[in-house]
Amino acid sequence: MLTVGQVAKRFQLSRSTLLYYDNKGVLKPSGRNHANYRVYSAEDINKLERIILLRNAGMPLADISLLIDQSFDEIENALESRLLTINREIQTLRNQQQVIINLISNRDNLSKTRIVTKERWVDMLSAAGLDESGMWLWHREFEATSPEAHQDFLESIGISQAEIEMIRKKSRSALKP
């Protein structure tokens, strides 16, 4: 059995975080010791590890409190839902990034960012020795193995939706015998 301070130190959490979890009913300690300090059992520690994992996945504490004692399938469904939310958030950020790119008048400043544009990507592939045929093989393989990731990648380099559709369509047609 571990006290609040011991658990906090072990997991690099503040004592107030553990007290908050107790107050919200997410993680109630198993009992109290002779000095009336909260104490956590091995089962409590396992539960805290799951809470930390779910928090690291971006799950709100309110959702965790509803899920923490559920079956693995229920938790997995909630994580899949969280992943879809993250994907939508990423898409929103990409759209905002593209608006900013379009508004920046000095294109030279883009080289100082983490943004990879279509032009920079093509330049890198060319520098690596790929000609246009090789680039199409690359797209074809990407489309065949991870179509959703291919879509995401093309969006991330700022290609218009019309051009993305054309690239993906050409990549898929190259897959047919």
Side-chain angles (χ1 to χ4, degrees), residues 109-125:
N109 287 338
L110 292 178
S111 64
K112 300 172 189 167
T113 69
R114 292 183 174 196
I115 298 168
V116 176
T117 62
K118 174 187 171 185
E119 294 75 21
R120 287 177 74 187
W121 183 249
V122 170
D123 289 346
M124 286 186 277
L125 291 178

Side-chain angles (χ1 to χ4, degrees), residues 84-98 151-152 155-156 161 164:
L84 291 173
T85 299
I86 290 170
N87 288 338
R88 284 190 298 271
E89 291 170 0
I90 289 170
Q91 184 58 50
T92 298
L93 291 171
R94 277 196 193 116
N95 292 342
Q96 292 172 4
Q97 184 182 51
Q98 196 58 48
Q151 172 78 26
D152 290 344
E155 290 172 356
S156 77
Q161 201 57 45
I164 289 172

Side-chain angles (χ1 to χ4, degrees), residues 34-152:
H34 63 282
N36 205 30
Y37 290 126
R38 293 171 176 86
V39 289
Y40 296 86
S41 67
E43 185 178 320
D44 297 332
I45 298 303
N46 289 336
K47 188 173 185 178
L48 178 58
E49 287 172 342
R50 289 191 311 274
I51 291 168
I52 291 169
L53 279 172
L54 293 171
R55 290 293 292 148
N56 287 340
M59 296 285 292
L61 195 57
D63 291 353
I64 292 172
S65 68
L66 298 173
L67 285 171
I68 197 65
D69 294 318
Q70 299 299 314
S71 70
F72 178 76
D73 288 342
E74 292 292 323
I75 293 172
E76 192 172 72
N77 288 339
L79 288 170
E80 287 172 359
S81 176
R82 174 70 185 136
L83 186 58
L84 291 173
T85 299
I86 290 170
N87 288 338
R88 284 190 298 271
E89 291 170 0
I90 289 170
Q91 184 58 50
T92 298
L93 291 171
R94 277 196 193 116
N95 292 342
Q96 292 172 4
Q97 184 182 51
Q98 196 58 48
V99 168
I100 292 169
I101 289 169
N102 292 338
L103 291 173
I104 291 176
S105 59
N106 187 349
R107 293 284 186 176
D108 293 336
N109 287 338
L110 292 178
S111 64
K112 300 172 189 167
T113 69
R114 292 183 174 196
I115 298 168
V116 176
T117 62
K118 174 187 171 185
E119 294 75 21
R120 287 177 74 187
W121 183 249
V122 170
D123 289 346
M124 286 186 277
L125 291 178
S126 294
L130 286 177
D131 60 7
E132 189 169 339
S133 176
M135 290 181 204
W136 279 111
L137 288 172
W138 181 87
H139 280 291
R140 183 178 74 195
E141 184 62 24
F142 205 163
E143 186 67 29
T145 58
S146 301
E148 293 85 9
H150 190 211
Q151 172 78 26
D152 290 344

